[in-house]
Amino acid sequence: MVKLNRAIKDIHITDNADDGKKGVHPISWLLVTIVYIIAVVSFSKYNIIGLAGMVLYILIQCIWYEISVTGMIKRIWPVFLFTVLLGIANPFFDRTVSAGVLSMATLVLKGIFCVAASYILVVQTGIRQICYALHIMRLPKEIVTVLLLMHRYLIVLLKELERMQLAYKLRAPGHRGLHFRTWGSFVGLLLLRSMDRAGEVYESMKLRGFNGTFQMFSGKYSHIGSIVYLIVWGAAILTMRLFPIFKMAEVAIWQILR
Amino acid sequence: MADIEMKDVNFSYQKGRQVLYDINISVERGKSTGLIGANGAGKSTLLKLLVGLINGYKGTIEVLGQPVEKKNLTDIRKKVGYVFCDSESQLFMSTVYEDVAFGVRNYGYSEEIVQKKVMEALHKVNIENLKDRQIYRMSGGQKKLASIATILSMEPEIVLFDEPTIALDPKNRRNLIGVLNGMSETKIIASHDLDMILDTCEETILLSEGKLICKGKTEDILKNKELLEEHDMELPLCMQDRRGK
């Protein structure tokens, strides 16, 4: 129940997290994230030291924009489990066991970094500004509208789920979770109720002039700041991709120590 | 001049289940009209017909001189606001400002005009201080006022209310009545809250099982105990004997 409530809150927070408060245009955020994800994915499966250097982007973003690291870890925890499951067979099927462990660790890191970067993007810009950026990038308006409507529907669905779960728990205080016998009717009813509610929301939108396209508008952004952000981060990510930062740092530290 | 004209309107959702029978109503400009009736009387259906949310009616419906037909719906909806019974359905954006601005933006106004209209609407319902509040953090009363602001920002000529006082505490209800009385637009208020109807409406329409029973001055209808009881309703609380005798 608490988890569900927190999920609804999280989604609301990502509704329009930024709207220009941080001065960076969403298209810069989006492009930097895309460049970062491409860079992360492009590492070979044994280059774990090079890949590890990419954590700097995540850390600097978290420190600079005061994003809670523990909050982020809590939210991307399932991705860790999922990637571990995906790579669990690697030690047995790769060239050697140690190579397999290495490739599994790389896979896990790649998954975590990509999701963490996406998380930072959503938390910093909000879904509406991301869609605005996609709209500027000439993504078909139908796709942008569907993305926004899916986001709306998700909220409606979760709210209905919260109500139904509360009603269930109040009448089944001893149960841990839903009894399997009620799963069918519960899910069916949930879908029907959320569709009804979504229908009402859509009616409300139509009555206020909605014609199938969300009106996109830009917040107040600093153009120079956005360009600087894009160039600096783009260059930094490429540097991290091309040069193994941690390896170089290790060599430098050894030289200093000598 | 009448803002709303309904002549011989019949409506059924599906074959064999008629909801409205031969409705003839005329609502004059600037008037506040109550729409009362027991559950299932057809109040919400009647309101939805006026903005074309449901169609397939027989008869004639004209709103601001335009027949309610598909080709006129954009224009009609621009001039007619509809406040839903459940504010959760009305408010779908993240913050109050964004929600109130949604309709205005859809009509292509510049951001400066959008801001002006939003602030005016919020001022009318006295919630300027909630401008940046996230919807999910608001109380039921605040949500109701925000729902009304979402309509007022579009500067409609007619506003339709479906059960506006439902789930409001006495203070919020009183506040809402003040807001309703302060509005100069033509209003139709569908409600079971007869005390609120008494406080806000000059005229009242009584529906029962889809039929128009009577239309007249609010006081005359709401004082008529036999008429109300005959159609499964009761006198407003302020007119009842509090000792239950």
Side-chain angles (χ1 to χ4, degrees):
Chain A
M1 195 71 209
V2 177
K3 276 185 188 170
L4 205 53
N5 196 273
R6 197 185 300 141
I8 294 170
K9 246 183 208 173
D10 282 350
I11 293 177
H12 274 298
I13 288 167
T14 61
D15 250 352
N16 51 349
D18 181 11
D19 277 359
K21 288 182 203 93
K22 296 178 181 76
V24 178
H25 197 284
I27 206 159
S28 297
W29 282 104
L30 187 62
L31 287 174
V32 166
T33 309
I34 291 171
V35 169
Y36 178 78
I37 290 174
I38 291 171
V40 165
V41 173
S42 69
F43 277 97
S44 81
K45 61 179 180 179
Y46 303 116
N47 188 1
I48 196 160
I49 295 177
L51 180 63
M54 300 302 279
V55 78
L56 286 178
Y57 170 79
I58 308 286
L59 291 178
I60 293 171
Q61 290 280 14
C62 287
I63 294 165
W64 193 265
Y65 293 109
E66 294 171 357
I67 299 167
S68 158
V69 178
T70 42
M72 185 171 75
I73 290 170
K74 268 184 203 166
R75 280 162 188 86
I76 64 174
W77 180 247
V79 178
F80 172 74
L81 295 177
F82 180 69
T83 47
V84 167
L85 271 178
L86 278 181
I88 203 146
N90 282 23
F92 307 106
F93 294 108
D94 217 318
R95 289 179 310 208
T96 58
V97 173
S98 55
V101 171
L102 204 61
S103 64
M104 181 181 128
T106 313
L107 183 71
V108 171
L109 278 187
K110 279 183 183 179
I112 288 174
F113 287 174
C114 289
V115 175
S118 310
Y119 173 82
I120 289 170
L121 172 73
V122 173
V123 166
Q124 290 303 298
T125 53
I127 191 77
R128 288 183 58 233
Q129 292 304 305
I130 293 172
C131 286
Y132 174 63
L134 293 172
H135 170 73
I136 294 174
M137 290 165 76
R138 302 270 176 246
L139 200 76
K141 67 176 183 184
E142 290 79 7
I143 295 179
V144 176
T145 303
V146 165
L147 272 176
L148 283 166
L149 287 177
M150 272 169 58
H151 182 252
R152 290 273 137 247
Y153 184 66
L154 192 61
I155 295 174
V156 170
L157 187 80
L158 286 176
K159 279 187 178 170
E160 284 304 322
L161 180 61
E162 190 188 23
R163 282 196 196 107
M164 285 178 67
Q165 201 186 35
L166 178 66
Y168 180 91
K169 278 201 165 177
L170 289 174
R171 284 182 289 153
H175 290 193
R176 282 174 65 87
L178 287 175
H179 193 274
F180 76 93
R181 279 185 189 159
T182 57
W183 285 2
S185 57
F186 193 91
V187 172
L189 201 59
L190 172 68
L191 288 177
L192 286 175
R193 281 174 58 145
S194 58
M195 275 166 64
D196 269 355
R197 176 53 65 91
E200 277 179 21
V201 170
Y202 183 61
E203 281 179 348
S204 166
M205 289 164 78
K206 275 202 299 187
L207 288 177
R208 287 196 268 156
F210 180 70
N211 58 2
T213 311
F214 274 93
Q215 298 305 311
M216 294 293 171
F217 76 100
S218 164
K220 287 174 185 160
Y221 301 108
S222 153
H223 289 289
I224 298 170
S226 303
I227 293 168
V228 170
Y229 178 87
L230 181 60
I231 292 171
V232 169
W233 267 119
I237 290 167
L238 283 178
T239 311
M240 287 188 273
R241 172 65 190 90
L242 297 174
F243 306 102
I245 302 273
F246 283 178
K247 188 86 181 163
M248 287 159 69
E250 187 192 349
V251 173
I253 289 166
W254 276 114
Q255 277 180 352
I256 292 166
L257 289 176
R258 274 181 203 158
Chain B
M1 187 196 161
D3 271 0
I4 296 169
E5 283 273 4
M6 294 180 97
K7 282 182 192 160
D8 304 322
V9 173
N10 285 275
F11 177 76
S12 48
Y13 279 105
Q14 49 193 270
K15 249 186 178 177
R17 197 187 140 227
Q18 192 152 349
V19 184
L20 294 174
Y21 299 85
D22 298 322
I23 303 289
N24 288 285
I25 291 173
S26 172
V27 177
E28 285 176 37
R29 174 153 296 181
K31 283 266 169 76
S32 184
T33 305
L35 188 59
I36 61 171
N39 285 334
K43 303 185 294 293
S44 300
T45 303
L46 193 146
L47 292 186
K48 286 184 176 178
L49 280 174
L50 292 175
V51 282
L53 276 181
I54 45 179
N55 44 39
Y57 64 90
K58 287 176 186 152
T60 316
I61 304 179
E62 282 190 6
V63 174
L64 297 162
Q66 288 181 298
V68 179
E69 293 168 4
K70 202 175 177 185
K71 59 179 181 181
N72 298 327
L73 284 184
T74 308
D75 206 31
I76 288 173
R77 287 172 180 174
K78 202 171 176 180
K79 295 170 185 166
V80 183
Y82 187 109
V83 179
F84 281 67
C85 167
D86 185 355
S87 304
E88 293 280 344
S89 304
Q90 183 110 24
L91 304 168
F92 47 81
M93 300 298 276
S94 54
T95 64
V96 174
Y97 183 92
E98 287 302 316
D99 221 305
V100 178
F102 179 83
V104 195
R105 280 191 185 126
N106 278 331
Y107 289 113
Y109 290 103
S110 68
E111 260 322 291
E112 288 78 44
I113 297 177
V114 169
Q115 192 178 3
K116 186 172 164 275
K117 284 177 185 279
V118 170
M119 292 316 293
E120 279 173 6
L122 293 176
H123 176 71
K124 279 183 192 168
V125 294
N126 304 318
I127 54 166
E128 298 113 305
N129 55 327
L130 301 178
K131 177 172 79 85
D132 296 317
R133 180 74 63 89
Q134 292 196 304
I135 302 287
Y136 74 94
R137 289 182 190 273
M138 291 165 72
S139 69
Q142 290 170 333
K143 280 183 188 167
K144 184 55 80 180
L145 293 175
S147 314
I148 296 172
T150 63
I151 299 306
L152 293 183
S153 64
M154 292 161 66
E155 296 173 348
E157 292 175 41
I158 302 171
V159 187
L160 312 174
F161 293 89
D162 192 359
E163 299 285 2
T165 53
I166 204 159
L168 291 187
D169 63 37
K171 192 183 167 196
N172 278 311
R173 182 179 164 280
R174 176 56 49 195
N175 186 19
L176 180 71
I177 289 171
V179 169
L180 292 176
N181 283 334
M183 288 168 61
S184 57
E185 293 86 356
T186 307
K187 298 185 285 288
I188 297 188
I189 305 171
S191 182
H192 294 124
D193 182 351
L194 301 188
D195 294 80
M196 183 269 294
I197 295 287
L198 199 60
D199 282 346
T200 55
C201 300
E202 297 128 5
E203 291 195 332
T204 291
I205 295 164
L206 172 59
L207 288 181
S208 179
E209 294 175 351
K211 292 175 191 133
L212 176 67
I213 304 301
C214 63
K215 184 188 173 197
K217 283 194 169 180
T218 300
E219 276 199 24
D220 295 343
I221 291 177
L222 297 188
K223 268 182 193 170
N224 193 334
K225 192 178 176 192
E226 287 83 39
L227 177 73
L228 292 174
E229 284 181 353
E230 197 181 327
H231 297 99
D232 303 322
M233 300 182 77
E234 290 179 350
L235 283 173
L237 286 173
C238 64
M239 291 181 182
Q240 285 183 20
D241 183 346
R242 297 299 164 90
R243 290 164 297 175
K245 288 179 183 173

